[in-house]
């Protein structure tokens, strides 16, 4: 019996606690219900339209900025790709030029009586074809002999006193110079008259 009294005493105390808590919980929803109508205001059509226009203007601005950034990126990428192509082309041309020099030296050393030989004629055709292809790519030899010395395209390796030539005139070319699309790939090595 004593156990039953203790148990029922605990239940009574729990019931009192639950009864005390109930009014507090019931009061909270009433307060929330009273506050809601004050916080929510019905938006007027003008206000909603203003907010929509602001949002449209913001999104339009973001879109225009994104498009401008993309256009700048595209232009920069094209420029970098073009520069890389030019650099690669110049590198290949620089490596081919010694072969052109060797062709010229070899063909220049052939005696007159052997110029009609089939092998020599074949080598001349190969040389002419190579020069034609280089010219189509934009590679051109720099004219030097008889021209005035120009440090932007000539490299003076020797000076000579020559009364027949004018001052600062190129009198001999030791190695041909070449340009690629108006920029010097290799300077002409020349002898200049003082």
């Amino acid at each position: 019996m004593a156990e039953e009294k203790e148990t029922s005493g605990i239940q009574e105390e729990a019931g009192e606690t639950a009864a005390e808590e109930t009014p507090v919980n019931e009061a909270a929803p009433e307060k929330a219900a009273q506050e809601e109508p004050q916080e929510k205001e019905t938006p007027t059509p003008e206000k909603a339209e203003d907010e929509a226009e602001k949002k449209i203007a913001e999104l339009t601005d973001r879109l225009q900025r994104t498009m401008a950034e993309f256009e700048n990126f595209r232009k920069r990428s094209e420029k970098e790709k073009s520069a890389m192509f030019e650099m690669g082309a110049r590198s290949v041309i620089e490596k081919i030029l010694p072969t052109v020099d060797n062709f010229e030296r070899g063909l220049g050393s052939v005696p007159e009586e052997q110029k009609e030989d089939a092998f020599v004629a074949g080598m001349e055709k190969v040389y002419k074809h190579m020069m034609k292809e280089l010219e189509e790519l934009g590679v051109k030899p720099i004219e030097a002999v008889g021209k005035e010395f120009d440090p932007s395209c000539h490299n003076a390796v020797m000076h000579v006193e020559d009364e027949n030539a004018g001052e600062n005139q190129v009198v001999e070319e030791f190695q041909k110079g070449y340009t690629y699309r108006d920029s010097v790939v290799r300077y002409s090595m020349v002898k200049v008259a003082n």
Side-chain angles (χ1 to χ4, degrees):
M1 283 289 231
E3 288 179 12
E4 287 180 16
K5 284 183 182 178
E6 286 178 22
T7 312
S8 59
I10 293 173
Q11 288 174 350
E12 288 173 9
E13 286 177 17
E16 289 173 13
T17 309
E20 289 173 7
E21 291 176 3
T22 305
V24 174
N25 290 339
E26 288 175 5
E30 289 174 11
K31 285 182 182 177
Q34 290 173 356
E35 291 175 4
E36 280 182 24
Q38 292 172 355
E39 288 179 11
K40 286 188 177 179
E41 293 180 18
T42 54
T44 61
E46 295 85 19
K47 197 173 191 180
E49 190 175 315
D50 287 345
E51 288 178 13
E53 285 179 9
K54 285 180 184 177
K55 189 71 172 173
I56 289 171
E58 179 186 325
L59 291 173
T60 303
D61 183 54
R62 285 175 56 189
L63 177 64
Q64 287 175 341
R65 288 177 188 269
T66 303
M67 288 175 66
E69 286 176 12
F70 178 73
E71 186 64 23
N72 290 339
F73 169 76
R74 187 185 66 74
K75 287 179 182 176
R76 190 171 50 249
S77 296
E78 285 293 322
K79 192 175 181 181
E80 288 173 359
K81 188 166 68 170
S82 176
M84 289 178 70
F85 176 79
E86 292 292 321
M87 198 168 21
R90 284 178 62 94
S91 175
V92 170
I93 291 165
E94 287 172 359
K95 290 184 178 174
I96 289 175
L97 290 179
T99 305
V100 172
D101 294 338
N102 289 336
F103 264 107
E104 289 173 350
R105 278 192 284 271
L107 292 172
S109 67
V110 174
E112 272 305 313
E113 62 271 1
Q114 291 182 354
K115 289 208 178 195
E116 298 300 320
D117 188 39
F119 179 75
V120 175
M123 289 294 108
E124 283 182 1
K125 286 181 182 179
V126 171
Y127 170 72
K128 286 178 183 176
H129 180 70
M130 187 185 310
M131 293 307 291
K132 180 182 172 227
E133 292 298 323
L134 285 173
E135 190 175 327
E136 286 178 7
L137 288 172
V139 179
K140 296 177 184 169
I142 297 171
E143 293 184 28
V145 177
K147 302 288 183 183
E148 186 175 338
F149 175 74
D150 182 3
S152 66
C153 58
H154 300 137
N155 182 15
V157 293
M158 187 180 284
H159 290 274
V160 66
E161 295 293 331
D162 190 349
E163 294 176 5
N164 298 331
E167 190 173 333
N168 265 352
Q169 187 176 4
V170 175
V171 292
E172 189 177 343
E173 182 178 51
F174 299 117
Q175 185 180 45
K176 264 190 190 175
Y178 290 89
T179 59
Y180 172 64
R181 295 187 181 179
D182 300 326
S183 65
V184 177
V185 176
R186 184 174 78 184
Y187 291 90
S188 298
M189 288 175 42
V190 296
K191 181 194 293 185
V192 180
N194 287 341

